[in-house]
Amino acid sequence: MPSASPQPSFIPREMQQVSVVNRAHRGGLADLFILISIVFLVASVALAVGVFLYQQYLQSSSASKVDQLERAKAAFEPSLILELTRVDDRMRAAGEILGGHTAPSAIFRMLEAMTITTVAFRSFDFAATESGNISVKMDGVADSVNSIALQADLFSKGGMITNPIFSNINRETDGVHFNLSALVDPAAINYAQIVSGISPSQNAGGGVVAPAVLPENVSPFESGATPPAAGPSNPPAGAAPPATPPAGSN
Amino acid sequence: MIKNLLSIAGLALAGGMFFLYTQPTYDNVQVLKERMSQYDQALDKASELQQLKQSLLSRFNAFKTEDLDRLRKLLPDHVDNVRLILDLDNLAAHHGMALQNVVISEPASESGGASVIGSIGLGHRRFDSLTLKFSTRGSYEDFAAFLGDLETSLRIVNVVSLGLVRESDVLTRGLTYRYDITIRTYWLK
């Protein structure tokens, strides 16, 4: 007896079974791929949304902080800060200038205190350079070379004048003419030190036996030298005759 | 087949979204976070400065107005040389003398100073200066008093050079002198 139903396909039954199994395998793999892609897609969307929201939060927060900074800047009152800075600059600059402020009148007070009566100065030149060197040049007349020597000795001991050089010493009818050039100790005429009382000019002549110096506040430019014809030169008491001629004497 | 295409499309979409939007946005977020950190630092600094400002302001308010005015006269904002000459002339007149041959130099910052070293130093200074030269005549006593007043004047001037030459006064038959004076005056830049 023949079989009840004829075989409808030319493909063998075993082959059909293998194909079904393969299809099932392929379908499972495709499902896995779909699952993975869905997972990735969801994760990517979640990340994108998260980053977007975080960026929005940071932008609003940043705007808020910029606003706070603007308010803080306005609270500084730039005009007030400018004024305070200006006052600070002024105080510092004034301190710097006052620190270098000089009082040349101290030199005149020293000359008044230390010029002996037999010496008179005819001219005076004072020069202060940017580097802080202060020099004086004077022309004078004395009644004798001994007086010049005594004057040089007094200046050397005074402290304010350093390196006094007496030159061009010439005996003329009205006395012995001379030139004096010297450096001045800048500290001795520093205004701040004079005011605070620590300048050597405060005791100019102090400790130095200055015989027959001019009375206080008398011009060192007006005390006349005694002409040689009027009599022999008399060095003031205590004045030792110079052992050597002053530097630069002719 | 459709499932495969869908999965590939899903993966491509996920990758595209990540690389084209999420990553650049994340980089931007990092920049924003760094900027936020700088803003926080600036706000902290602003808070400190505010406290400092308050303390400086309380110190500034402790200054008397008269003292600040004196400080402004001591070192003015401008050279104001005409006012200075007037003040000097008044000062000289107070001692019976008169100013003559007034010559004003260029400011030190424009003339470049006396030396190369001087011009380098001038750049760092907060103040500028110029010299003013003048002559006057009078007795030694008057000049000594004038010089003393000049040294102690509120407007600071420094004597740069001073020449004294004896002259005789025919009218009073007394000794008078000619004084050639150069002073340096200062102002705040």
Side-chain angles (χ1 to χ4, degrees):
Chain A
M1 190 171 146
S3 59
S5 59
Q7 195 169 1
S9 170
F10 294 104
I11 301 168
R13 190 175 295 270
E14 291 81 12
M15 287 296 286
Q16 276 189 345
Q17 284 171 351
V18 169
S19 174
V20 168
V21 169
N22 282 345
R23 209 174 293 147
H25 273 289
R26 273 192 222 130
L29 209 58
D31 288 343
L32 186 65
F33 278 145
I34 281 213
L35 186 67
I36 289 170
S37 69
I38 287 170
V39 166
F40 271 103
L41 191 61
V42 167
S44 183
V45 168
L47 275 175
V49 169
V51 166
F52 172 76
L53 291 176
Y54 191 43
Q55 187 190 28
Q56 291 300 310
Y57 163 73
L58 285 179
Q59 278 175 346
S60 65
S61 186
S62 172
S64 162
K65 286 196 188 297
V66 167
D67 194 38
Q68 285 179 44
L69 277 172
E70 287 292 333
R71 270 185 273 127
K73 186 182 170 186
F76 276 131
E77 298 174 84
S79 60
L80 177 68
I81 298 292
L82 201 65
E83 188 183 348
L84 292 177
T85 309
R86 192 82 177 150
V87 169
D88 181 61
D89 282 349
R90 198 184 302 277
M91 287 170 73
R92 288 176 195 275
E96 192 179 333
I97 293 168
L98 272 174
H101 185 41
T102 53
S105 62
I107 299 174
F108 291 105
R109 284 199 297 274
M110 181 275 295
L111 289 175
E112 289 167 11
M114 301 189 76
T115 304
I116 58 177
T117 53
T118 51
V119 171
F121 295 104
R122 298 289 174 90
S123 69
F124 175 90
D125 278 303
F126 165 94
T129 63
E130 285 277 335
S131 56
N133 290 328
I134 299 168
S135 62
V136 289
K137 289 178 182 171
M138 292 186 279
D139 297 338
V141 59
D143 69 344
S144 69
V145 176
N146 282 356
S147 297
I148 297 173
L150 177 61
Q151 190 62 67
D153 192 41
L154 283 174
F155 280 159
S156 299
K157 289 176 180 170
M160 181 183 286
I161 283 184
T162 56
N163 300 324
I165 296 173
F166 288 82
S167 59
N168 295 330
I169 298 175
N170 289 317
R171 189 179 293 277
E172 293 181 17
T173 53
D174 58 343
V176 182
H177 288 244
F178 64 90
N179 299 136
L180 165 64
S181 63
L183 294 175
V184 177
D185 178 12
I189 61 167
N190 183 276
Y191 184 79
Q193 294 195 17
I194 290 171
V195 169
S196 61
I198 56 173
S199 166
S201 70
Q202 293 296 304
N203 52 7
V208 177
V209 179
V213 293
L214 297 173
E216 200 166 343
N217 295 329
V218 171
S219 166
F221 302 95
E222 292 179 14
S223 59
T226 310
S233 61
N234 293 319
T244 54
S249 63
N250 293 334
Chain B
M1 187 63 183
I2 293 171
K3 283 182 181 177
N4 285 341
L5 284 175
L6 282 174
S7 62
I8 288 168
L11 282 174
L13 191 62
M17 193 180 291
F18 182 80
F19 288 111
L20 294 179
Y21 177 76
T22 308
Q23 196 170 36
T25 309
Y26 183 73
D27 292 342
N28 191 29
V29 161
Q30 293 302 316
V31 172
L32 277 173
K33 278 175 75 176
E34 195 176 333
R35 198 179 296 164
M36 289 280 288
S37 165
Q38 288 174 352
Y39 286 158
D40 284 337
Q41 286 178 5
L43 281 170
D44 290 344
K45 191 64 81 178
S47 174
E48 287 175 25
L49 288 174
Q50 194 65 31
Q51 288 175 0
L52 184 65
K53 186 199 117 183
Q54 288 302 328
S55 69
L56 287 175
L57 192 60
S58 60
R59 282 173 65 186
F60 176 71
N61 288 334
F63 294 147
K64 291 179 185 170
T65 313
E66 306 89 68
D67 290 341
L68 289 173
D69 286 342
R70 283 167 63 84
L71 186 64
R72 204 168 289 118
K73 280 178 189 163
L74 189 146
L75 192 62
D77 289 312
H78 311 286
V79 58
D80 204 3
N81 53 324
V82 176
R83 167 65 55 191
L84 178 65
I85 293 167
L86 279 173
D87 288 347
L88 287 173
D89 196 41
N90 287 338
L91 194 65
H94 183 68
H95 296 287
M97 300 190 295
L99 257 60
Q100 296 168 326
N101 307 326
V102 179
V103 179
I104 297 171
S105 74
E106 283 184 358
S109 60
E110 289 176 20
S111 61
S115 64
V116 175
I117 296 169
S119 62
I120 291 168
L122 288 170
H124 302 291
R125 287 184 171 173
R126 298 179 181 87
F127 55 87
D128 205 348
S129 66
L130 59 74
T131 58
L132 190 148
K133 190 175 182 180
F134 61 92
S135 301
T136 186
R137 286 178 168 79
S139 68
Y140 175 78
E141 289 75 20
D142 289 338
F143 174 72
F146 169 72
L147 189 61
D149 286 349
L150 194 65
E151 289 167 1
T152 54
S153 71
L154 190 55
R155 172 88 186 255
I156 299 181
V157 290
N158 270 326
V159 177
V160 176
S161 70
L162 167 61
L164 179 154
V165 179
R166 182 186 281 196
E167 287 181 340
S168 58
D169 192 333
V170 179
L171 291 175
T172 61
R173 293 180 179 277
L175 270 176
T176 58
Y177 302 86
R178 193 186 80 236
Y179 309 95
D180 297 313
I181 305 169
T182 306
I183 58 170
R184 185 174 291 280
T185 184
Y186 307 88
W187 70 96
L188 195 64
K189 277 182 185 171

